[in-house]
Amino acid sequence: MFLPRTFQSTPHQHASVTIATMSSSTVAGSDTPPSFTATPSKTPSSKASSRRSQAELKSRFEAYNRLQAAAVAFSETMSIPEIVAVGGQSDGKSSLLEALLGFRFNVREVEMGTRRPLILQMVHDASALEPRCRFQEEDSEEYGSPLVLASAIADIIKSRTEALLKKTKAAVSPKPIVMRAEYAHCPNLTIIDTPGFVLKAKKGEPENTPDEILSMVKSLASPPHRILLFLQQSSVEWCSSLWLDAIREIDPTYRRTVIVVSKFDNRLKEFGDRWEVDRYLSASGYLGDSTHPFFVALPKDRGNVSNDEFRRQISQVDSEVLRHLREGVKGGFDEEKFKSYIGFGRLRDYLESELQKKYKEAAPATLALLEQRCSEVTSELARKDSKIQATSDVSHLRKFAMLHVASISNHVGALIDGAADPSPEQWGKTTVEERSQSGIGVWPGVIACVNPPNATLRLYGGAAFERVMHEFRCAAYSIECPSVSREKVANILLAHAGRGGGRGRTEAAAEIARAAAKSWLAPLLDTACDRLAFVLGSLFDLALERNRIRDLECGITGGNMDGYVGFHAALRCAYNRFIGNLAKHCKQLVRHHLDSATSPYSQVCYFNDYEPSCNKFSQASASSFFLELSDTSSASHDARRDQENIPPENNAQETTPGKAAETRDALRESHITIPETPSPDQPGDAAYGVVKKELGICNDVGPRKRASRMGGNCKNSDYVTLQNGGVLFGNGERSGSAYSDICISAAQHFARIREVLVERGVTSTLNSGFLTPCRDRIFEALGLDLFAVNDEKFMDMFVAPGAIDVLKSERESLMKRQKILQSCLNEFKSVAQGL
């Protein structure tokens, strides 16, 4: 709480500080209320000193007034001392503001008073014998024409409030109305009138209206440079005050709070003895010994009176209150202690003196802030001039655009090579997030859940690329050769057997494996390309963030390309096209590898001693190839997750999920024996032995070393079995069949094709097809897309229709702001010299 100690000790001194001084009789302690017009007679030296003091005060007022106007007009954030009037609804805030202005103007409604903050810029102008009020236009820096009639002022406040509330469909709004009032009878003050606190929303309003009002008032009153003017009706006891706790939350010690007890005349009739008056005026036990409220009463007559009569009534009410306390109360009251806090005149003088003190204290900081803002606006104006000049300088734009593209390209390469900034925790993605955001939730044809190592870590760039590559390997090894119907096998086998050559079964199994690889592995390859393209496409935003951080580290507050929305959009489109073209090209390459591996001329299916060098990868050690860095102590971590997509060696007889039972049932079915004489060279039991032997590895995921088990039998076995009574598809009881042999052989061929694709062709192709161009050719590709055009087309990215007019308009606004701020700066320099 600001204590008006000057009223107690040096009333004469205080009278000389205020702009509108009190009469000599008031200063001397007589009953005559302050008239705010007369100036006490003084000696020639004191008069000269007073004139100098008045000139200094006026200069300071005018300087802050212009700065306040500039701050409101240009939305400048400056710690300018201001007063925020707060209190409950109908506690008299608007009436107090009218008294400070010296004329009546405000909108009054029975159920709701002010519903938007009203910023009053009071300007003391001795030449304004009638109030001149202007409203700042909504969403504009300009003020409208001066208004003279008070009724017009009230109508504008009411219409603007109702229009905004109707548009926002709200009961209150934090958007302020700004009114500038120039008058000979008002002080130089800036006061913000806020909506009054309410306990319950009125009919038709949202239920949260009281909370919205409280939140808005707190945000307006919280800045430490603002003085709180808290009003409470005299009929409310301190112990039952509803809003004092809210004020205590904003200003716990009342250090910057002025408490005003309004409508004090309603309480006077309750005082009979002096002790009752003194106890009430002291407010002891509730506000603390160092906090003294002001007690104010204002005229109740709301009739149509002149402004002079309104001010006379205010002085008369002050006089009547003092006379009642002296004559109507037995023993009077402690005038020495409390007289300085009773009456509107005392409150007005205190606010002026306190605000004047705050102005003086804030002058050095305000001067430093003005110098900073002038420098910033000058730099901003220079950048705007540079942009306007650049619109006609194509070479200038090309140069800085190329530098920007080169910087982005370098950052993309760094991210691929393992850069760890910006923060992976903020910018990285887990495997689940990648799947969700890319729109590719599952791997086609894979039933089991594919969780690669480090799936829960947030990765980007090269690390995320490698994780997707490993996820592709896991998904590929999760796919087994699907089961084939007997009819399909019969059609293929019988056709091959009719051609002769002795390789019917092998050719049939190979053809089945090739068809299965094409239909099941092709979608998997496309999905891998799309997932990798998403990972690389996400690097564009990270590259922009890295570029922004580097600019800040170098002290560049705004890049040369900032604000060119068209160029940034074209750059993003060019980058996306580049990644899309890489994905399309890679799909073609891996499809070529698939076509090669599944070609009838490929020898992959006929290598009986095929033993891939990367056999260990496809088995249980696959997880060690890609380091697991996740928190394995987490409760959600599965200890076997790394190998859930790599069939272990002791599970060699398992097949694709859902297919195991079906295969076993097929092998147990009855067989039809072709009515031919059995061949002595290939008895049925021997054939069954071979089948049984092969069945042990029919669904082994990685190709093992193949002994020449099939070579010695397949040469004549197909023809002999078919011609000499071999079991094929009949209903006989024999355990072995050509069908089971072909299914087993097809699974082996499928595993060989898959192994060759995953380990020999696709992995290296995807790395060279995606990563190498992103490192070596991205700048060239983006440059050709953006800069290999004529000047007219190039400028379309920078100069949209009307863009130059917008730039010029912004430049004019900056010039106006610079001019006003520079004027305020020069003025404050003069003020600072006089302090």
Side-chain angles (χ1 to χ4, degrees), residues 380-396:
E380 190 175 353
L381 184 60
R383 287 194 297 271
K384 197 68 66 176
D385 287 335
S386 177
K387 285 187 177 182
I388 293 175
Q389 181 183 2
T391 57
S392 59
D393 188 350
V394 180
S395 61
H396 174 88

Side-chain angles (χ1 to χ4, degrees), residues 472-788:
F472 161 70
R473 293 188 182 97
C474 294
Y477 285 115
S478 297
I479 294 181
E480 301 292 342
C481 184
S483 61
V484 185
S485 67
R486 293 175 176 273
E487 288 76 8
K488 188 172 183 178
V489 173
N491 276 273
I492 297 173
L493 179 59
L494 293 175
H496 280 283
R499 301 172 192 168
R503 292 175 63 91
R505 286 192 184 188
T506 303
E507 292 290 350
E511 185 170 337
I512 291 171
R514 286 193 291 265
K518 284 184 177 180
S519 61
W520 289 83
L521 296 181
L524 210 64
L525 296 173
D526 288 346
T527 300
C529 292
D530 291 336
R531 283 285 304 278
L532 294 173
F534 173 77
V535 169
L536 296 178
S538 303
L539 296 185
F540 184 80
D541 289 325
L542 277 83
L544 290 178
E545 178 66 12
R546 280 174 58 88
N547 192 61
R548 185 188 66 82
I549 294 173
R550 295 298 183 273
D551 286 346
L552 290 177
E553 290 175 352
C554 297
I556 303 175
T557 56
N560 293 308
M561 291 292 103
D562 284 358
Y564 293 117
V565 178
F567 168 74
H568 287 291
L571 176 58
R572 184 180 291 272
C573 289
Y575 182 83
N576 291 338
R577 275 195 300 271
F578 174 71
I579 299 299
N581 290 336
L582 291 183
K584 183 178 179 181
H585 181 62
C586 285
K587 286 181 181 180
Q588 294 173 349
L589 291 177
V590 294
R591 282 297 185 100
H592 175 72
H593 283 289
L594 179 61
D595 292 340
S596 298
T598 57
S599 170
Y601 304 100
S602 174
Q603 296 299 308
V604 172
C605 296
Y606 308 115
F607 294 160
N608 294 324
D609 59 347
Y610 179 71
E611 183 178 6
S613 60
C614 50
N615 180 44
K616 292 184 178 180
F617 172 80
S618 63
Q619 299 300 327
S621 62
S623 61
S624 64
F625 188 81
F626 191 73
L627 298 177
E628 170 63 76
L629 302 175
S630 304
D631 184 7
T632 56
S633 63
S634 172
S636 63
H637 181 79
D638 185 352
R640 298 179 61 214
R641 185 189 66 188
D642 296 349
Q643 299 185 28
E644 63 183 354
N645 306 124
I646 307 298
E649 293 183 6
N650 61 356
N651 258 351
Q653 294 186 8
E654 291 185 4
T655 59
T656 305
K659 303 296 183 182
E662 183 179 340
T663 303
R664 287 194 294 270
D665 292 341
L667 293 175
R668 294 193 189 102
E669 289 185 6
S670 300
H671 307 294
I672 302 175
T673 304
I674 298 177
E676 300 251 355
T677 303
S679 169
D681 298 331
Q682 185 141 343
D685 290 341
Y688 172 69
V690 174
V691 172
K692 188 174 182 181
K693 203 171 185 180
E694 291 293 335
L695 184 60
I697 59 168
C698 70
N699 285 321
D700 200 343
V701 173
R704 299 181 178 181
K705 183 173 182 179
R706 310 299 196 240
S708 301
R709 301 175 254 210
M710 298 171 53
N713 295 325
C714 69
K715 181 175 181 181
N716 298 312
S717 62
D718 299 332
Y719 180 78
V720 172
T721 302
L722 291 172
Q723 298 297 326
N724 297 307
V727 179
L728 185 58
F729 307 104
N731 296 320
E733 300 299 328
R734 305 294 295 275
S735 299
S737 72
Y739 174 71
S740 60
D741 289 346
I742 291 171
C743 287
I744 295 169
S745 183
Q748 295 170 353
H749 295 331
F750 182 88
R752 293 181 191 130
I753 295 173
R754 179 185 59 192
E755 189 80 11
V756 169
L757 277 174
V758 173
E759 303 305 332
R760 291 193 178 183
V762 172
T763 302
S764 60
T765 298
L766 292 178
N767 273 282
S768 61
F770 275 112
L771 299 185
T772 301
C774 283
R775 290 189 182 100
D776 302 337
R777 294 195 294 106
I778 184 171
F779 177 65
E780 176 186 348
L782 296 180
L784 288 174
D785 202 341
L786 295 173
F787 306 122

